[in-house]
Amino acid sequence: MCNMTFEETSGEHSSERMDSVSKALEDVISSALPQGCITVGVYEAAKALNVDPDNVVLCLLATDEEQVEDVALQIHFTLIQAFCCENDINILRISNMRRLAEILGGVKPGGEPMDLHCVLVTKSTTWKDPALSKVNRFCRDSRVMDQWVPIINLPDR
């Protein structure tokens, strides 16, 4: 089995495509946040998935290099991924948690840092975003190439 990333297998325009998808993902998060369509945190996400999985349109699982070997976190990710696959929810692995924190605002009310390891994007009746279509298309294309959980790096801005 080939363990190439989507970037490596998608040809000469892969860098441009990854930049485009990263930008679209940032747009999705930025658009969903003021609509109240973001759930942040592993436990909060698990609760939301349990209550209404049909309302979730995208699941983001984020780690930094030093957290990749955190066994408990990887077990949480495995369970969340399995649930999302079973319920046809697109999943992306995110690297660069610092950038994700910047996009989301970084702290809860009261100054407590957020658990950014799992972020869910949910549906809204007033929110139609072409960027979400682009991200969903990227996820679908990745699955066609047997990469069920593609990895996106959010570039620093």
Side-chain angles (χ1 to χ4, degrees), residues 5 34 41 44 75 78-79 83 95 156:
T5 66
E44 291 80 3
I75 290 170
T78 300
L79 294 171
F83 189 88
S95 58
D156 291 322

Side-chain angles (χ1 to χ4, degrees), residues 42-43 67-79:
V42 171
Y43 296 107
Q67 299 163 326
V68 170
E69 297 189 23
D70 182 339
V71 174
L73 185 59
Q74 295 308 318
I75 290 170
H76 287 297
F77 281 3
T78 300
L79 294 171

Side-chain angles (χ1 to χ4, degrees), residues 11 33 44 54 77 82 86 95 118 151:
L33 197 56
E44 291 80 3
D54 294 333
F77 281 3
E86 191 172 299
S95 58
C118 186
I151 299 170

